[in-house]
Amino acid sequence: MSVTHDQILNYAGIHVLKKMDLKPADGGIQMPVILDAALAPLEDVLERLVLQGRLEIDRKRQRYALTKAGLQYIGSLIDEAEAVIDEFDEWETADMVAELRARNLDPLRARFLWGWYQGEFDDLVQFQERRGIEPVEYAWAHFITSPAFYANLALDLEDPN
């Protein structure tokens, strides 16, 4: 299962929105308008979120801010993730993938939202270590925008037989 650049931008955007919505004590971040090298891979992601109306630039504070539409989008993603988990929690992977495809739904999106909702990606270094990814990418923005992250997620959707 391959991932497109468009999917990477969408899923990384979902991840960024969650990080921006969380309180700092819970792992939340403030996203500066001028990105340092560690956040530079998010430039296209942030631009897309602004164009979608989910983020806006707070010029006074020189950072991105969630919009009302962005908060509503996060709510709809939570609803979507809960629906996927509620329906498919007890299913075998191959059956779930087949059912999602029969409904013309993207299994990778379902897998991403499942992990996103349950906090599996809140610490991407820990995620990589648990899954045996070598070498570990310590800059989360680099990893969430890399095809390697999504290729690793796609492994969970393969039929083990």
Side-chain angles (χ1 to χ4, degrees), residues 1-12 45 48 106 108-109 144-148 150-151 154:
M1 181 178 297
S2 64
V3 62
T4 67
H5 182 67
D6 190 57
Q7 287 174 302
I8 290 173
L9 292 177
N10 283 332
Y11 301 150
V45 172
R48 178 180 278 210
D106 179 7
L108 186 60
R109 179 180 175 90
I144 200 71
T145 57
S146 74
Y150 302 96

Side-chain angles (χ1 to χ4, degrees), residues 3-159:
V3 62
T4 67
H5 182 67
D6 190 57
Q7 287 174 302
I8 290 173
L9 292 177
N10 283 332
Y11 301 150
I14 290 169
H15 185 74
V16 166
L17 289 173
K18 179 180 181 180
K19 289 184 84 58
M20 290 181 68
D21 188 43
L22 291 173
K23 292 179 172 80
D26 297 326
I29 61 167
Q30 293 180 352
M31 190 64 64
V33 173
I34 309 282
L35 300 175
D36 62 20
L39 297 175
L42 299 175
E43 188 172 322
D44 291 343
V45 172
L46 295 166
E47 181 179 319
R48 178 180 278 210
L49 291 168
V50 169
L51 291 173
Q52 293 170 334
R54 296 178 178 142
L55 290 180
E56 62 189 8
I57 296 175
D58 180 337
R59 298 209 185 280
K60 182 178 177 184
R61 293 188 174 111
Q62 286 297 296
R63 64 180 181 222
Y64 290 91
L66 282 166
T67 63
K68 185 176 180 179
L71 291 170
Q72 289 172 339
Y73 182 61
I74 292 170
S76 72
L77 292 168
I78 290 169
D79 292 344
E80 183 181 351
E82 287 175 342
V84 167
I85 292 168
D86 288 347
E87 181 171 356
F88 294 109
D89 191 35
E90 301 295 324
W91 287 51
E92 294 294 325
T93 300
D95 296 335
M96 178 188 77
V97 169
E99 180 63 23
L100 288 167
R101 287 191 173 134
R103 294 182 195 177
N104 213 18
L105 299 173
D106 179 7
L108 186 60
R109 179 180 175 90
R111 172 62 183 98
F112 179 83
L113 288 176
W114 195 308
W116 172 82
Y117 176 79
Q118 293 189 326
E120 184 179 4
F121 314 139
D122 289 354
D123 183 335
L124 287 170
V125 169
Q126 188 178 63
F127 172 85
Q128 293 171 79
E129 290 170 344
R130 280 194 314 261
R131 295 175 70 98
I133 297 172
E134 295 282 336
V136 170
E137 173 58 70
Y138 290 94
W140 71 267
H142 287 267
F143 189 60
I144 200 71
T145 57
S146 74
F149 171 68
Y150 302 96
N152 190 274
L153 273 187
L155 295 174
D156 295 345
L157 300 171
E158 293 178 357
D159 188 353

